[in-house]
């Protein structure tokens, strides 16, 4: 079928597949992958747990040998239906924690914006430290958030009010905390601290004061308006 451009012109479709960005494309892709992969895995490897979101898949196996076998089978299955995996994004990772202590070259993977890897944790029962295989916001998404914060145009406007800076940021911060705050919040908190650092610099320029005085002024503003920025309201400071 032809693709209709914004100006109304119908452009004949070239090649195969559905248009990138088309509203029907994600639905058709999910249907195709459901029967191509989900149903196939459930039928041929019922002992294996897996989770798929769009074309990102994590398959949980009980051993390296089983993981290698399932991976080769998946490659073969995808080849049957004219698909292939992205080799540079595909790896076998070992979920090392206090129970699984073997050595492996890869002990980390990313999925849906989170980084899963061994992390130090404290037991709620006795307070002792242990190693858990846990999730936190990935470094690539931390970088992306910092870029969004950095690109706020009002950082350069010393005539603006702080509430004008908070308004466009709060909608984004609310979404970041709602999503990435589901798991360990340490890395997310450190990332959101960039907002406060930018505010300190902004206050220095606005009032022509020293770094120490700008920090003190920001603390006073936090105490007087604890809900001005959403991450303040949620305790991310």
């Amino acid at each position: 079928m032809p693709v209709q451009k914004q100006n109304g012109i119908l452009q004949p479709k070239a090649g195969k597949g559905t248009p990138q960005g088309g509203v029907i494309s994600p639905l058709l892709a999910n249907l195709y992958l459901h029967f191509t992969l989900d149903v196939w895995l459930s039928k041929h490897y019922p002992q294996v747990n897996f989770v798929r979101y769009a074309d990102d898949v994590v398959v949980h196996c009980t051993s390296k040998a089983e993981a290698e076998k399932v991976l080769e089978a998946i490659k073969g299955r995808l080849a049957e239906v004219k698909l292939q995996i992205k080799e540079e994004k595909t790896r076998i990772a070992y979920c090392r924690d206090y129970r699984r202590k073997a050595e492996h070259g890869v002990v980390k993977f990313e999925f849906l914006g989170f980084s899963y890897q061994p992390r130090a944790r404290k037991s709620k029962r006795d307070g002792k430290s242990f190693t858990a295989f846990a999730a936190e916001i990935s470094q690539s998404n931390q970088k992306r958030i910092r870029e969004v914060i950095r690109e706020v145009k009002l950082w350069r406007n010393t005539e603006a009010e702080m509430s004008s800076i908070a308004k466009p940021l709060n909608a984004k911060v609310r979404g970041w905390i709602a999503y990435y705050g589901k798991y360990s919040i340490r890395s997310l908190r450190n990332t959101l601290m960039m907002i406060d650092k930018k505010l300190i610099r902004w206050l220095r320029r606005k009032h022509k004061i020293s770094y120490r005085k700008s920090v003190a002024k920001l603390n006073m503003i936090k105490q007087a308006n604890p809900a001005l920025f959403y991450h303040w309201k949620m305790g991310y400071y």
Side-chain angles (χ1 to χ4, degrees):
M1 294 179 63
V3 177
Q4 187 173 26
K5 298 293 186 178
Q6 290 185 344
N7 58 11
I9 295 175
L10 291 175
Q11 177 180 313
K13 183 177 172 298
K16 299 179 180 180
T18 59
Q20 186 174 3
V23 293
I24 196 65
S25 299
L27 175 61
L28 293 177
N30 264 318
L31 284 171
Y32 193 73
L33 285 172
H34 173 71
F35 291 102
T36 293
L37 190 61
D38 302 353
V39 174
W40 178 84
L41 273 171
S42 298
K43 178 181 179 180
H44 295 278
Y45 297 93
Q47 79 283 7
V48 168
N49 294 317
F50 67 94
V51 58
R52 180 180 65 80
Y53 183 85
D55 60 351
D56 288 333
V57 187
V58 175
V59 181
H60 302 275
C61 298
T62 57
S63 68
K64 183 180 179 182
E66 182 182 53
E68 291 172 342
K69 179 181 178 181
V70 172
L71 178 57
E72 288 305 312
I74 290 174
K75 289 180 180 179
R77 170 57 177 169
L78 293 180
E80 291 176 358
V81 294
K82 312 299 183 185
L83 296 176
Q84 61 183 21
I85 66 171
K86 280 193 174 181
E87 293 287 350
E88 64 273 16
K89 289 188 176 182
T90 303
R91 66 196 64 189
I92 294 175
Y94 181 64
C95 303
R96 192 175 66 202
D97 61 12
Y98 71 97
R99 296 165 299 176
R100 298 181 290 264
K101 300 179 180 180
E103 293 297 323
H104 191 277
V106 179
V107 293
K108 170 184 175 181
F109 68 90
E110 292 188 6
F111 185 62
L112 301 184
F114 289 94
S115 171
Y116 295 80
Q117 65 189 79
R119 303 179 191 276
R121 292 289 184 266
K122 279 191 176 182
S123 171
K124 294 182 180 179
R125 186 180 60 184
D126 55 19
K128 293 183 178 180
S129 296
F130 67 99
T131 300
F133 195 82
E136 280 190 0
I137 178 175
S138 67
Q139 290 186 359
S140 58
N141 280 278
Q142 291 178 50
K143 181 180 178 182
R144 210 167 280 127
I145 288 175
R146 291 190 185 100
E147 288 173 351
V148 171
I149 295 170
R150 193 178 294 113
E151 289 170 359
V152 173
K153 295 179 180 179
L154 288 174
W155 292 130
R156 299 178 181 177
N157 186 357
T158 55
E159 299 298 322
E161 296 298 324
M162 191 174 286
S163 58
S164 299
I165 298 174
K167 188 174 181 179
L169 270 174
N170 279 341
K172 298 179 185 298
V173 173
R174 188 178 291 110
W176 293 332
I177 291 177
Y179 185 70
Y180 295 111
K182 295 293 183 182
Y183 293 100
S184 177
I185 63 174
R186 182 182 58 185
S187 295
L188 179 59
R189 179 186 288 113
N190 291 339
T191 302
L192 294 178
M193 280 301 296
M194 183 178 180
I195 296 175
D196 289 35
K197 292 177 182 177
K198 297 286 285 185
L199 286 171
I200 290 169
R201 296 193 191 105
W202 180 79
L203 286 169
R204 289 187 69 182
R205 291 193 297 270
K206 183 178 179 69
H207 299 286
K208 296 180 175 58
I209 55 179
S210 67
Y211 174 82
R212 183 175 295 181
K213 288 184 178 180
S214 62
V215 170
K217 189 170 187 64
L218 183 62
N219 287 334
M220 290 175 60
I221 294 171
K222 283 182 181 180
Q223 291 176 6
N225 302 278
L228 180 58
F229 284 86
Y230 188 74
H231 68 294
W232 294 356
K233 179 180 178 181
M234 301 303 292
Y236 284 71
Y237 55 85

